[in-house]
Amino acid sequence: MLFRSITVPANFNDIQRQATKEAASIAGLDAVRLMPEPIAAAVSYGLDKIQGTANILVFDMGAGTLDVSIIEVSDGFFEVLATSGPTTLGGINMNEKITLWLEKLLGEQNKNFVLDELVSVQLQETSERLKLELSEKDSVLFDEKINSEKSQFVLSGSLSRESFETMISPIMDESKGIISQILKESDLTSTQIDRVIPIGGPTKIPILKTMLTESIKTPEEGVDPDFSVAIGAAIQAAVMTGDPNL
């Protein structure tokens, strides 16, 4: 039998999990097993092979949400101890900080600048690109032609990683608070966390890695955080199917 492993947020309740199964059935998928996303990520790092017991903090930041979970693994068995996080905090919030800065710069460089929807879209695209490049570089240069509905503007300058980190420091502070909250809910201290697993593109940002290291410990590496959940789900499905190539 071919098994399908579908990942769901750790905080899904029974109704949401059942709705997911029904949606899978409508799509023609049978033999479905639901798997909490933080557990799937842990499996992608091979943490299901841990001997004994370990506490794992999973920091999952996507484009617009943050989920922090603490799971316990004991001889291959996982249990989600706690999960928390806002549905309005993620990479988009970082982009917004850069976009506001670009809007101000565009106004300073172009006297007749008027912000419209077309300009907003282009600035958002530039913000995303700058954010990604600053994960690899100490500073980035930009020289853009920004088209509005009635005119064209020139936007040029540079953004340093240090300035970017200052922009998003409130996001880092809020993330720290959520980590502290989840530790308290789990009745654990930071020293009792054995592994930290990052999920999502924003966790590639250097200051976020530093925040996790200073708050708990250095996050695991070796698996692309954009794909760790999918990889873990694939491994679990292969295990259930009895794939001899696993």
Side-chain angles (χ1 to χ4, degrees):
M1 178 180 291
L2 182 62
F3 285 89
R4 275 86 169 183
S5 182
I6 297 178
T7 61
V8 295
N11 58 3
F12 258 27
N13 58 33
D14 290 341
I15 294 175
Q16 292 169 312
R17 292 172 67 88
Q18 182 59 35
T20 302
K21 288 183 178 181
E22 291 174 1
S25 177
I26 292 171
L29 301 177
D30 53 8
V32 167
R33 297 285 183 89
L34 299 187
M35 189 177 192
E37 291 171 353
I39 292 179
V43 169
S44 76
Y45 282 92
L47 300 188
D48 52 322
K49 305 295 194 299
I50 289 178
Q51 299 296 315
T53 301
N55 295 316
I56 303 167
L57 184 141
V58 181
F59 187 93
D60 182 354
M61 179 174 277
T65 61
L66 172 61
D67 293 308
V68 181
S69 303
I70 293 181
I71 57 179
E72 180 185 80
V73 57
S74 181
D75 295 324
F77 293 94
F78 290 95
E79 179 184 0
V80 179
L81 301 181
T83 185
S84 183
T87 58
T88 55
L89 185 69
I92 289 177
N93 301 86
M94 300 178 186
N95 290 7
E96 289 173 349
K97 300 289 186 180
I98 301 176
T99 299
L100 289 174
W101 177 75
L102 289 175
E103 287 177 6
K104 181 180 178 182
L105 183 63
L106 190 58
E108 293 173 351
Q109 295 181 352
N110 300 267
K111 293 182 179 180
N112 299 322
F113 164 64
V114 176
L115 182 66
D116 58 29
E117 185 174 351
L118 183 59
V119 171
S120 293
V121 170
Q122 292 168 85
L123 292 182
Q124 290 166 15
E125 292 173 349
T126 300
S127 297
E128 173 70 8
R129 179 175 59 79
L130 294 179
K131 180 186 69 177
L132 294 176
E133 290 185 14
L134 285 170
S135 290
E136 305 293 335
K137 303 175 182 178
D138 291 331
S139 65
V140 290
L141 299 173
F142 54 91
D143 188 4
E144 312 274 333
K145 288 183 173 59
I146 305 295
N147 295 307
S148 71
E149 295 176 358
K150 296 182 178 180
S151 185
Q152 185 181 79
F153 308 106
V154 175
L155 175 65
S156 62
S158 65
L159 178 62
S160 67
R161 179 184 290 177
E162 183 179 3
S163 295
F164 171 59
E165 291 176 349
T166 299
M167 291 179 189
I168 65 172
S169 60
I171 298 173
M172 295 300 101
D173 291 340
E174 186 171 354
S175 299
K176 288 180 187 177
I178 295 165
I179 290 174
S180 297
Q181 175 187 334
I182 201 76
L183 287 171
K184 185 176 181 180
E185 291 178 6
S186 304
D187 198 24
L188 295 171
T189 66
S190 59
T191 58
Q192 292 175 291
I193 299 298
D194 300 293
R195 305 287 185 90
V196 174
I197 296 179
I199 304 177
T203 63
K204 298 177 183 179
I205 295 173
I207 191 176
L208 203 154
K209 294 181 182 179
T210 299
M211 182 275 291
L212 290 173
T213 300
E214 293 176 348
S215 299
I216 310 290
K217 59 179 48 183
T218 303
E220 298 288 311
E221 296 182 343
V223 177
D224 190 327
D226 279 324
F227 305 111
S228 57
V229 171
I231 291 170
I235 292 172
Q236 181 67 13
V239 169
M240 292 187 297
T241 305
D243 189 338
N245 297 315
L246 186 64

